[in-house]
Amino acid sequence: MEPGSSVLAILSNHDPRAWTGSACDGGANATCNLRLFEAAIARGAAAGAGAVLFPEGYALSPDFGTEPWISPAGATPCAAARTTQGDSPLQSGLACAARRQRVAVVANVLVRMGGGEKQIREVVIDAAGAVVSSYGKRHLFPSERWPLGFSPSSDAPTVAPLLGGRVGLLICYEGVYPELSGDWSQVDGLRRDGAQALLWSIGSHLPVDAGAARLARRTGLPVLASADGAAAHAVAATGAPLPPSRSVALRGAVAGYGIIFNFAKEVGSPSAVDRTDYATASGSARGFAQHHSQQLSRAAVCGDAQNINNAARNMRVAHSFMTGLNAPPPCARPRAF
């Protein structure tokens, strides 16, 4: 990384389960995904990025495994991989990679808190490997509460320093929750507290393109998103898509961004490489609707009235997203910055 770099790299098109022909098959998904994240951090740094943005924690732990939380603000996880509750190799590995490559990292992990509750948490690590900010997901999708067993955090909307400016942190469902619920307090709080852009770490089943555009238009802020199995996406404050290498204005600096597309899983052996292209925005919206249809069916079978209502409401929003997706997909995607 060049000193003072204001480029944000975004991991794109990562399928955390698509390991084939290597030791990464089977139960080693989290270990192999961490190795890919470390390689992405190195690649971003080599390309001149000052920070790298990653998807929601399922991109590291697709089997929903958790580790003890060791990354509050001020912590140095690279020096604290072990706790009395067990190992935390993902948080430690990300912090060590940030320090080794001298690049900031914005990542998301599935963790166990001191009281035993499971949370989904975003962590912002500086180029020295120290945590400058962390945030726990407040608005969970119903299936994250049950059957996955995660708890919402009580954290306030969180704005973090990055690339010479200030960014608001959103985790997956939180990017569409305001439209589903009519409650814009979290997003409005980020803007009120000085966010100059929104960073959105996404799991899957969300229409990233349309969702980012709506968020940008509602807040007047650029939105930069990284999602499992989907192209990285960035929009200007107007909601218009930004191509790679464009810039967004942050206080005292201009933050550019580059996008790592189709990052190959070159871990273990050449046969481990996966180069799948994933769905366009409209396909993502259809997946979102299909996912909520499945949730609706499950809730109906279980007689869960609250989740029946939630899933039905989400289905309506999913279809409204689909009707707004008219732009054709790009003919080709770049493979690097």
Side-chain angles (χ1 to χ4, degrees):
M1 182 196 76
E2 296 181 7
S5 170
S6 59
V7 175
L8 175 70
I10 307 175
L11 185 68
S12 178
N13 288 328
H14 171 49
D15 180 347
R17 295 183 182 272
W19 296 101
T20 57
S22 77
C24 295
D25 287 341
N29 279 320
T31 299
C32 294
N33 287 323
L34 175 61
R35 288 156 69 184
L36 185 141
F37 276 37
E38 290 169 340
I41 292 167
R43 178 172 170 180
V52 184
L53 173 65
F54 290 100
E56 192 176 14
Y58 306 113
L60 276 171
S61 305
D63 301 318
F64 316 123
T66 59
E67 64 180 33
W69 172 241
I70 61 170
S71 302
T76 53
C78 187
R82 297 186 63 87
T83 73
T84 56
Q85 289 78 40
D87 293 341
S88 298
L90 303 181
Q91 295 163 80
S92 175
L94 291 167
C96 290
R99 186 175 70 180
R100 184 166 56 249
Q101 302 297 337
R102 298 178 59 237
V103 63
V105 169
V106 183
N108 192 276
V109 285
L110 310 182
V111 300
R112 298 188 305 278
M113 306 303 288
E117 71 274 17
K118 298 195 299 182
Q119 290 189 6
I120 302 168
R121 297 197 65 89
E122 194 91 347
V123 58
V124 181
I125 304 167
D126 68 15
V131 177
V132 297
S133 186
S134 72
Y135 164 72
K137 189 175 184 179
R138 294 159 50 95
H139 301 298
L140 301 179
F141 187 74
S143 62
E144 290 176 324
R145 292 176 180 265
W146 178 87
L148 297 184
F150 287 100
S151 299
S153 85
S154 58
D155 292 0
T158 299
V159 175
L162 190 75
L163 301 177
R166 292 173 61 77
V167 294
L169 305 178
L170 290 172
I171 304 173
C172 200
Y173 183 57
E174 294 180 329
V176 297
Y177 174 81
E179 288 204 76
L180 299 177
S181 65
D183 177 7
W184 288 87
S185 59
Q186 178 185 12
V187 173
D188 288 343
L190 295 174
R191 183 175 55 181
R192 182 185 61 247
D193 291 344
Q196 296 154 290
L198 300 178
L199 300 189
W200 190 14
S201 294
I202 301 170
S204 58
H205 302 299
L206 286 184
V208 182
D209 302 54
R214 291 184 184 212
L215 268 177
R217 288 193 294 267
R218 173 61 169 74
T219 62
L221 298 173
V223 178
L224 301 103
S226 179
D228 284 1
H233 197 69
V235 297
T238 60
L242 290 172
S245 301
R246 285 291 298 275
S247 299
V248 296
L250 297 181
R251 184 180 301 125
V254 175
Y257 78 97
I259 298 177
I260 301 173
F261 278 94
N262 298 329
F263 195 87
K265 294 177 171 51
E266 294 168 348
V267 180
S269 70
S271 62
V273 175
D274 172 82
R275 299 184 185 278
T276 305
D277 284 326
Y278 295 90
T280 62
S282 58
S284 176
R286 282 191 291 272
F288 185 50
Q290 181 182 27
H291 174 71
H292 291 302
S293 177
Q294 293 166 349
Q295 292 293 327
L296 181 60
S297 298
R298 174 183 290 179
V301 168
C302 296
D304 186 337
Q306 179 178 351
N307 281 335
I308 289 172
N309 291 334
N310 287 341
R313 179 187 62 192
N314 292 342
M315 278 284 290
R316 290 192 295 272
V317 173
H319 286 292
S320 75
F321 271 114
M322 289 172 66
T323 60
L325 292 169
N326 299 315
C331 296
R333 294 171 178 156
R335 296 192 63 81
F337 291 102

